[in-house]
């Protein structure tokens, strides 16, 4: 698929901007702070319902404005679709497809698909497990948009289960501290705890589905990431992706993963009640990224970490393409970080893509193989050159 037109209203630094786009390569070039990343961030938002730079929507709305609108005309084969998303920080966002009545934002997932690589991706290698879980889960959703529903079920159940655990933890402590009759404190905690069993099942059901998808994804991604790394940094690998679950075991199928997760929850139940928080499940897992025999985190050099993150994104791109979902590839400020050889290699790898959006501060940073449209971005204007 590719985007044929992007319009923004009150998004980041843009009051209004209209950007017609062609398939093939488009480069946005301009000095620092002029709004290049803002453009591609908007495209990425439509694909993931999140920004690759910030966790909340507030910074995405132009200072002084109340809401932002991102609109994209999308072409997939013969099919044209218009997607529209209104960001209302602090309230719910609204979405529309083809100007029809409102749909849930997550219903637009799958219309715009992107693989976005940006300097922030260094955190995939060097950052907290949450960065890697988000990487996996966004890719799972790109492969299968219905997983957005499973993810939100899991998050909802997790939140409710944590609330219950917290109140059970509080009831215990309360009973102890205030010297209330133990029987009363115990019985209210006891009532909570019988509902906990039901929440365990809900959590394990959604959790097992998420886990099964993550494991399947990692198996598919591993050879592609290794290949991409070899292309970028010959002889530098091999590269291995290992899932680190909080519920230990060898299970692979959804049913076995469910059983494994239920067992893990039973094991940690006592600690959970003490601490008032859910201690096993996909929200506590990590993806171990190994380079050679060593974990990349804490061991890999800056350049190696950068190439690793890039290899993960290129692998994601290959995977989605191989599965027939050609996404838009976004390379934000990537070339300036690479030496000439790696730059040329990357450019050759991505040049045949259906649509590639590149940002760079100066023309010379965009390799010659990537010929295509150029836009000059300056003080909120985007002009074709
Ligand atoms: N909510 C907002 N309201 C108004 N301006 C904003 C908002 N969010 C960001 N900006 C402005 O947008 C500009 C940054 O835009 P962007 O990140 O797209 O720059 P860039 O062209 O990619 O620069 P660089 O080359 O440094 O990466 C900054 O000047 C920032 O102040
Ligand atoms: Mg930028």
């Amino acid at each position: 698929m590719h985007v044929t037109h992007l319009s923004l209203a009150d998004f980041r630094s843009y009051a209004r901007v209209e950007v017609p786009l062609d398939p093939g390569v488009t480069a946005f070039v301009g000095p620092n702070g002029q709004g290049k990343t803002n453009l591609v961030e908007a495209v990425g938002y439509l694909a993931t319902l999140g920004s690759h730079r910030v966790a909340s929507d507030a910074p995405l709305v132009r200072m002084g404005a109340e809401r932002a609108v991102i609109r994209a005309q999308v072409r997939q084969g013969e099919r044209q679709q218009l997607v529209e998303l209104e960001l209302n920080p602090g309230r719910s966002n609204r979405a529309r497809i083809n100007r029809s009545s409102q749909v849930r934002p997550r219903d637009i997932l799958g219309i715009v698909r992107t693989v976005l690589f940006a300097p922030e991706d260094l955190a995939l290698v060097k950052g907290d497990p949450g960065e890697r879980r988000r990487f996996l889960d966004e890719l799972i959703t790109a492969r299968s948009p219905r997983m957005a529903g499973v993810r939100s079920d899991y998050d909802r159940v997790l939140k409710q289960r944590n609330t219950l655990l917290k109140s059970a933890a509080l009831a215990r402590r309360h009973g102890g501290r205030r010297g209330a009759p133990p029987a009363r404190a115990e019985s209210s905690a006891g009532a909570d705890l019988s509902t906990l069993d039901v929440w365990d099942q809900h959590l394990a059901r959604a959790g097992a589905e998420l886990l099964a998808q993550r494991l399947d994804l990692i198996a598919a991604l591993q050879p592609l990431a290794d290949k991409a790394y070899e292309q970028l940094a010959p002889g530098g690998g091999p590269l291995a992706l290992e899932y680190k679950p909080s519920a230990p075991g060898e299970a692979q199928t959804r049913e076995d993963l469910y059983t494994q997760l239920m067992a893990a929850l039973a094991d940690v139940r006592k600690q959970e009640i003490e601490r008032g928080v859910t201690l096993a499940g996909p929200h506590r897992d990590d993806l171990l990224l190994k380079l050679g025999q060593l974990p990349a985190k804490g061991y890999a050099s800056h350049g190696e970490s950068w190439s690793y993150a890039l290899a993960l994104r290129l692998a994601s791109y290959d995977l989605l393409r191989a599965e027939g979902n050609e996404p838009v590839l976004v390379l934000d400020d990537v070339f300036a970080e690479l030496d000439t050889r790696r730059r040329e290699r990357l450019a050759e790898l991505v040049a045949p893509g259906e649509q590639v959006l590149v940002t760079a501060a100066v023309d010379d940073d965009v390799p010659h193989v990537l010929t295509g449209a150029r836009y000059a971005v300056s003080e909120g204007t985007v002009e074709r050159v």
Side-chain angles (χ1 to χ4, degrees):
M1 50 84 34
H2 63 270
V3 177
T4 58
H5 193 97
L6 175 71
S7 12
L8 304 178
D10 290 328
F11 183 86
R12 290 282 198 186
S13 52
Y14 294 101
R16 277 208 91 89
V17 70
E18 302 290 333
V19 188
L21 292 166
D22 293 326
V25 178
T26 297
F28 298 102
V29 182
N32 296 142
Q34 300 299 303
K36 304 179 299 289
T37 301
N38 294 346
L39 293 171
V40 294
E41 182 181 37
V43 178
Y45 197 104
L46 291 177
T48 59
L49 300 182
S51 156
H52 70 284
R53 297 198 283 189
V54 284
S56 80
D57 286 347
L60 305 179
V61 176
R62 193 168 66 95
M63 193 55 79
E66 240 176 69
R67 65 183 70 85
V69 178
I70 310 173
R71 196 177 290 127
Q73 184 80 43
V74 177
R75 191 174 183 98
Q76 167 145 41
E78 290 305 298
R79 192 163 179 216
Q80 288 270 11
Q81 274 181 297
L82 180 72
V83 271
E84 203 177 306
L85 194 64
E86 184 185 290
L87 306 180
N88 299 300
R91 286 172 297 131
S92 41
N93 293 341
R94 308 204 297 180
R96 289 199 303 169
I97 301 173
N98 294 331
R99 299 197 186 279
S100 61
S101 55
Q102 228 173 283
V103 294
R104 288 173 307 181
R106 76 175 197 234
D107 293 331
I108 70 168
L109 288 170
I111 298 179
V112 175
R113 280 185 301 268
T114 59
V115 168
L116 189 153
F117 183 69
E120 285 77 7
D121 281 331
L122 208 50
L124 272 180
V125 179
K126 296 184 178 234
D128 295 335
E131 304 280 350
R132 289 175 288 281
R133 289 193 296 264
R134 183 158 70 100
F135 165 71
L136 294 174
D137 292 347
E138 281 180 355
L139 193 49
I140 282 168
T141 311
R143 288 177 96 189
S144 155
R146 74 167 189 90
M147 286 306 292
V150 175
R151 283 170 68 191
S152 87
D153 284 350
Y154 184 82
D155 292 344
R156 186 175 40 82
V157 171
L158 179 65
K159 221 165 145 187
Q160 278 163 336
R161 192 175 182 278
N162 281 342
T163 306
L164 200 64
L165 283 170
K166 226 168 264 155
S167 75
L170 213 67
R172 292 194 141 211
R173 266 177 255 150
H174 214 66
R177 224 183 309 125
R178 292 260 178 97
R184 226 183 96 210
E186 292 279 307
S187 74
S188 87
D192 285 350
L193 294 183
S194 65
T195 34
L196 199 54
D197 289 338
V198 180
W199 287 113
D200 282 9
Q201 291 166 25
H202 289 311
L203 191 83
R205 197 157 298 126
E209 189 151 6
L210 199 53
L211 282 170
Q213 294 283 339
R214 284 187 187 172
L215 294 175
D216 183 69
L217 171 65
I218 291 165
L221 213 53
Q222 155 78 50
L224 299 174
D226 191 45
K227 190 186 83 188
Y229 196 87
E230 180 61 24
Q231 284 168 325
L232 288 168
L239 191 151
L241 315 182
E242 271 174 37
Y243 196 66
K244 291 279 164 212
S246 53
E250 300 296 313
Q252 295 285 329
T253 66
R254 215 194 311 167
E255 263 323 293
D256 292 349
L257 287 161
Y258 174 83
T259 313
Q260 189 169 292
L261 198 47
M262 286 296 282
L265 287 169
D267 280 350
V268 293
R269 168 76 67 99
K270 211 170 145 234
Q271 288 157 269
E272 287 189 328
I273 293 168
E274 274 160 21
R275 295 176 48 184
V277 48
T278 300
L279 293 174
H283 68 290
R284 309 271 299 187
D285 296 355
D286 197 0
L287 172 66
L288 175 65
L289 304 173
K290 281 168 79 177
L291 184 60
Q293 295 307 306
L294 297 171
K297 183 175 173 170
Y299 291 88
S301 74
H302 178 79
E304 285 171 337
S305 304
W306 181 264
S307 299
Y308 207 123
L310 182 52
L312 290 175
R313 293 299 183 192
L314 289 174
S316 312
Y317 185 55
D318 275 354
L319 181 67
L320 294 177
R321 282 172 104 179
E323 290 176 349
N325 293 335
E326 173 129 11
V328 176
L329 181 65
V330 178
L331 300 174
D332 182 25
D333 250 339
V334 168
F335 292 104
E337 285 272 344
L338 298 170
D339 59 34
T340 319
R341 222 186 57 194
R342 285 186 196 189
R343 219 184 253 206
E344 298 302 327
R345 281 175 185 276
L346 175 62
E348 279 159 27
L349 285 176
V350 306
E354 179 175 340
Q355 187 167 52
V356 184
L357 307 178
V358 176
T359 75
V362 289
D363 260 322
D364 284 350
D365 282 346
V366 185
H368 296 301
V369 241
L370 296 182
T371 49
R374 300 256 159 149
Y375 284 91
V377 181
S378 169
E379 292 178 12
T381 62
V382 183
E383 273 172 27
R384 192 150 182 167
V385 287

